[in-house]
Tab-separated table of all heavy atoms in Angstrom:
chain	number	residue	atom	x	y	z
A	1	PHE	N	156.049	2.910	117.026
A	1	PHE	CA	155.625	4.211	116.445
A	1	PHE	C	154.359	4.027	115.559
A	1	PHE	O	153.520	4.868	115.534
A	1	PHE	CB	156.691	4.947	115.665
A	1	PHE	CG	157.767	5.535	116.606
A	1	PHE	CD1	158.901	4.945	116.852
A	1	PHE	CD2	157.474	6.723	117.233
A	1	PHE	CE1	159.825	5.555	117.687
A	1	PHE	CE2	158.360	7.354	118.070
A	1	PHE	CZ	159.553	6.787	118.442
A	2	LEU	N	154.378	2.893	114.902
A	2	LEU	CA	153.143	2.654	113.958
A	2	LEU	C	151.955	2.304	114.652
A	2	LEU	O	150.871	2.593	114.199
A	2	LEU	CB	153.543	1.590	113.044
A	2	LEU	CG	154.537	1.781	111.843
A	2	LEU	CD1	154.936	0.549	111.178
A	2	LEU	CD2	154.096	2.859	110.926
A	3	HIS	N	152.000	1.836	115.892
A	3	HIS	CA	150.843	1.263	116.697
A	3	HIS	C	150.583	2.003	117.948
A	3	HIS	O	149.460	1.828	118.421
A	3	HIS	CB	151.067	-0.196	117.009
A	3	HIS	CG	151.093	-0.979	115.834
A	3	HIS	ND1	150.019	-1.657	115.280
A	3	HIS	CD2	152.073	-1.592	115.055
A	3	HIS	CE1	150.329	-2.265	114.094
A	3	HIS	NE2	151.549	-2.238	113.978
A	4	VAL	N	151.465	2.868	118.439
A	4	VAL	CA	151.089	3.636	119.623
A	4	VAL	C	151.205	5.144	119.046
A	4	VAL	O	152.412	5.608	118.691
A	4	VAL	CB	152.213	3.496	120.642
A	4	VAL	CG1	151.955	4.329	121.830
A	4	VAL	CG2	152.261	1.912	121.032
A	5	ASP	N	150.108	5.877	119.092
A	5	ASP	CA	149.893	7.105	118.450
A	5	ASP	C	150.533	8.161	119.491
A	5	ASP	O	149.746	9.006	119.998
A	5	ASP	CB	148.540	7.328	118.222
A	5	ASP	CG	148.400	8.799	117.336
A	5	ASP	OD1	149.403	9.127	116.649
A	5	ASP	OD2	147.367	9.247	117.247
A	6	GLU	N	151.852	8.111	119.798
A	6	GLU	CA	152.435	8.976	120.644
A	6	GLU	C	153.851	9.352	120.201
A	6	GLU	O	154.426	8.631	119.594
A	6	GLU	CB	152.478	8.342	122.077
A	6	GLU	CG	151.313	8.053	122.788
A	6	GLU	CD	150.683	9.274	123.477
A	6	GLU	OE1	151.421	10.203	123.609
A	6	GLU	OE2	149.516	9.123	123.813
A	7	CYS	N	154.294	10.527	120.705
A	7	CYS	CA	155.757	10.817	120.544
A	7	CYS	C	156.482	10.049	121.689
A	7	CYS	O	155.834	9.824	122.773
A	7	CYS	CB	155.986	12.378	120.607
A	7	CYS	SG	155.505	13.127	122.178
A	8	ILE	N	157.642	9.598	121.474
A	8	ILE	CA	158.324	8.873	122.433
A	8	ILE	C	159.732	9.515	122.743
A	8	ILE	O	160.407	9.794	121.696
A	8	ILE	CB	158.495	7.492	122.111
A	8	ILE	CG1	157.064	6.765	121.827
A	8	ILE	CG2	159.384	6.563	122.996
A	8	ILE	CD1	157.204	5.307	121.352
A	9	ALA	N	160.041	9.730	124.015
A	9	ALA	CA	161.406	10.372	124.338
A	9	ALA	C	162.339	9.261	124.350
A	9	ALA	O	162.060	8.101	124.526
A	9	ALA	CB	161.276	11.169	125.705
A	10	VAL	N	163.668	9.717	124.155
A	10	VAL	CA	164.717	8.720	124.289
A	10	VAL	C	164.719	8.023	125.551
A	10	VAL	O	164.856	6.732	125.512
A	10	VAL	CB	166.153	9.369	124.034
A	10	VAL	CG1	167.351	8.470	124.135
A	10	VAL	CG2	166.101	9.973	122.532
A	11	ALA	N	164.534	8.663	126.607
A	11	ALA	CA	164.627	8.041	127.968
A	11	ALA	C	163.388	6.960	128.015
A	11	ALA	O	163.595	5.771	128.608
A	11	ALA	CB	164.241	9.049	129.009
A	12	GLU	N	162.229	7.231	127.510
A	12	GLU	CA	161.259	6.309	127.442
A	12	GLU	C	161.565	5.131	126.628
A	12	GLU	O	161.335	3.984	126.910
A	12	GLU	CB	159.809	7.019	127.054
A	12	GLU	CG	159.245	7.914	127.939
A	12	GLU	CD	158.210	8.813	127.261
A	12	GLU	OE1	158.279	9.132	126.072
A	12	GLU	OE2	157.320	9.167	128.137
A	13	ALA	N	162.111	5.379	125.440
A	13	ALA	CA	162.528	4.166	124.469
A	13	ALA	C	163.489	3.290	125.265
A	13	ALA	O	163.503	2.147	125.017
A	13	ALA	CB	162.950	4.758	123.322
A	14	MET	N	164.411	4.028	126.002
A	14	MET	CA	165.476	3.239	126.688
A	14	MET	C	164.735	2.137	127.568
A	14	MET	O	165.108	0.971	127.734
A	14	MET	CB	166.258	4.084	127.493
A	14	MET	CG	167.230	4.947	126.666
A	14	MET	SD	168.217	6.121	127.606
A	14	MET	CE	168.943	5.186	128.917
A	15	ASP	N	163.810	2.657	128.405
A	15	ASP	CA	163.056	1.714	129.356
A	15	ASP	C	162.240	0.654	128.602
A	15	ASP	O	162.217	-0.424	128.936
A	15	ASP	CB	162.143	2.501	130.315
A	15	ASP	CG	163.009	3.222	131.415
A	15	ASP	OD1	164.158	2.822	131.484
A	15	ASP	OD2	162.587	4.183	131.988
A	16	ILE	N	161.561	1.126	127.408
A	16	ILE	CA	160.718	0.158	126.660
A	16	ILE	C	161.544	-0.941	126.110
A	16	ILE	O	161.201	-2.098	126.228
A	16	ILE	CB	159.925	0.982	125.523
A	16	ILE	CG1	158.974	1.876	126.287
A	16	ILE	CG2	159.278	0.048	124.680
A	16	ILE	CD1	158.555	2.979	125.323
A	17	ILE	N	162.607	-0.492	125.510
A	17	ILE	CA	163.545	-1.692	124.737
A	17	ILE	C	164.512	-2.230	125.774
A	17	ILE	O	164.773	-3.409	125.522
A	17	ILE	CB	164.355	-1.000	123.546
A	17	ILE	CG1	163.372	-0.405	122.581
A	17	ILE	CG2	165.292	-1.838	123.026
A	17	ILE	CD1	162.444	-1.481	121.891
A	18	GLY	N	164.755	-1.569	126.882
A	18	GLY	CA	165.721	-2.240	127.827
A	18	GLY	C	167.186	-2.113	127.435
A	18	GLY	O	167.934	-3.121	127.626
A	19	ASP	N	167.545	-1.012	126.757
A	19	ASP	CA	168.834	-0.904	126.186
A	19	ASP	C	169.485	0.441	126.762
A	19	ASP	O	168.853	1.226	127.279
A	19	ASP	CB	168.799	-0.942	124.676
A	19	ASP	CG	170.198	-1.572	124.070
A	19	ASP	OD1	171.079	-1.637	124.750
A	19	ASP	OD2	170.111	-1.845	122.823
A	20	THR	N	170.731	0.665	126.388
A	20	THR	CA	171.495	1.716	126.875
A	20	THR	C	171.168	2.976	126.102
A	20	THR	O	170.584	2.839	124.908
A	20	THR	CB	173.036	1.454	126.631
A	20	THR	OG1	173.319	1.402	125.303
A	20	THR	CG2	173.405	0.235	127.309
A	21	GLN	N	171.426	4.078	126.604
A	21	GLN	CA	171.198	5.432	125.903
A	21	GLN	C	171.899	5.460	124.710
A	21	GLN	O	171.438	5.872	123.647
A	21	GLN	CB	171.668	6.626	126.989
A	21	GLN	CG	171.130	7.953	126.508
A	21	GLN	CD	172.181	8.568	125.544
A	21	GLN	OE1	173.482	8.317	125.579
A	21	GLN	NE2	171.740	9.479	124.663
A	22	TYR	N	173.126	5.109	124.605
A	22	TYR	CA	174.003	5.023	123.420
A	22	TYR	C	173.272	4.237	122.280
A	22	TYR	O	172.919	4.810	121.216
A	22	TYR	CB	175.384	4.479	123.610
A	22	TYR	CG	176.103	4.383	122.368
A	22	TYR	CD1	176.817	5.466	121.869
A	22	TYR	CD2	176.216	3.233	121.637
A	22	TYR	CE1	177.507	5.410	120.608
A	22	TYR	CE2	176.960	3.003	120.487
A	22	TYR	CZ	177.621	4.179	120.093
A	22	TYR	OH	178.326	4.140	118.741
A	23	ASN	N	172.882	3.015	122.634
A	23	ASN	CA	172.188	2.219	121.579
A	23	ASN	C	170.922	2.639	121.061
A	23	ASN	O	170.535	2.768	119.925
A	23	ASN	CB	172.127	0.684	122.116
A	23	ASN	CG	173.407	0.022	122.170
A	23	ASN	OD1	174.391	0.310	121.504
A	23	ASN	ND2	173.535	-0.983	123.037
A	24	VAL	N	170.085	3.180	122.092
A	24	VAL	CA	168.735	3.593	121.827
A	24	VAL	C	168.835	4.846	120.843
A	24	VAL	O	168.158	5.036	119.877
A	24	VAL	CB	167.779	3.805	122.980
A	24	VAL	CG1	166.602	4.565	122.622
A	24	VAL	CG2	167.512	2.461	123.643
A	25	SER	N	169.651	5.757	121.306
A	25	SER	CA	169.899	7.060	120.574
A	25	SER	C	170.392	6.852	119.170
A	25	SER	O	169.862	7.341	118.201
A	25	SER	CB	170.823	7.945	121.291
A	25	SER	OG	170.359	8.443	122.443
A	26	ARG	N	171.256	5.886	119.108
A	26	ARG	CA	171.833	5.469	117.766
A	26	ARG	C	170.732	4.865	116.851
A	26	ARG	O	170.654	5.280	115.722
A	26	ARG	CB	173.015	4.510	117.906
A	26	ARG	CG	173.697	4.275	116.647
A	26	ARG	CD	174.795	3.227	116.665
A	26	ARG	NE	174.066	1.849	116.770
A	26	ARG	CZ	174.395	0.905	117.461
A	26	ARG	NH1	175.570	1.024	118.171
A	26	ARG	NH2	173.764	-0.127	117.451
A	27	ASN	N	169.947	3.932	117.485
A	27	ASN	CA	168.826	3.417	116.716
A	27	ASN	C	167.869	4.233	116.240
A	27	ASN	O	167.294	4.332	115.083
A	27	ASN	CB	168.238	2.175	117.581
A	27	ASN	CG	169.134	1.060	117.570
A	27	ASN	OD1	169.954	0.719	116.686
A	27	ASN	ND2	168.967	0.220	118.625
A	28	LEU	N	167.434	5.155	117.177
A	28	LEU	CA	166.397	6.250	116.753
A	28	LEU	C	166.976	7.188	115.788
A	28	LEU	O	166.240	7.619	114.744
A	28	LEU	CB	165.924	6.949	117.951
A	28	LEU	CG	165.025	6.169	118.965
A	28	LEU	CD1	164.921	6.943	120.241
A	28	LEU	CD2	163.709	5.850	118.378
A	29	LYS	N	168.228	7.461	115.792
A	29	LYS	CA	168.936	8.461	114.836
A	29	LYS	C	168.984	7.814	113.557
A	29	LYS	O	168.698	8.343	112.465
A	29	LYS	CB	170.267	8.791	115.348
A	29	LYS	CG	170.956	9.848	114.455
A	29	LYS	CD	172.234	10.298	115.186
A	29	LYS	CE	172.881	11.486	114.427
A	29	LYS	NZ	174.031	11.901	115.197
A	30	MET	N	169.351	6.445	113.556
A	30	MET	CA	169.241	5.646	112.147
A	30	MET	C	167.771	5.685	111.573
A	30	MET	O	167.654	5.879	110.292
A	30	MET	CB	169.724	4.260	112.325
A	30	MET	CG	171.245	4.221	112.506
A	30	MET	SD	171.832	2.569	112.646
A	30	MET	CE	171.803	2.084	110.775
């Protein structure tokens, strides 16, 4: 988020990080 000047959807973050929806959503929520 600091280096890519874009909003990122949860689905995109899942593919980027390579993790489950539960984990990515929880991490973004934190």
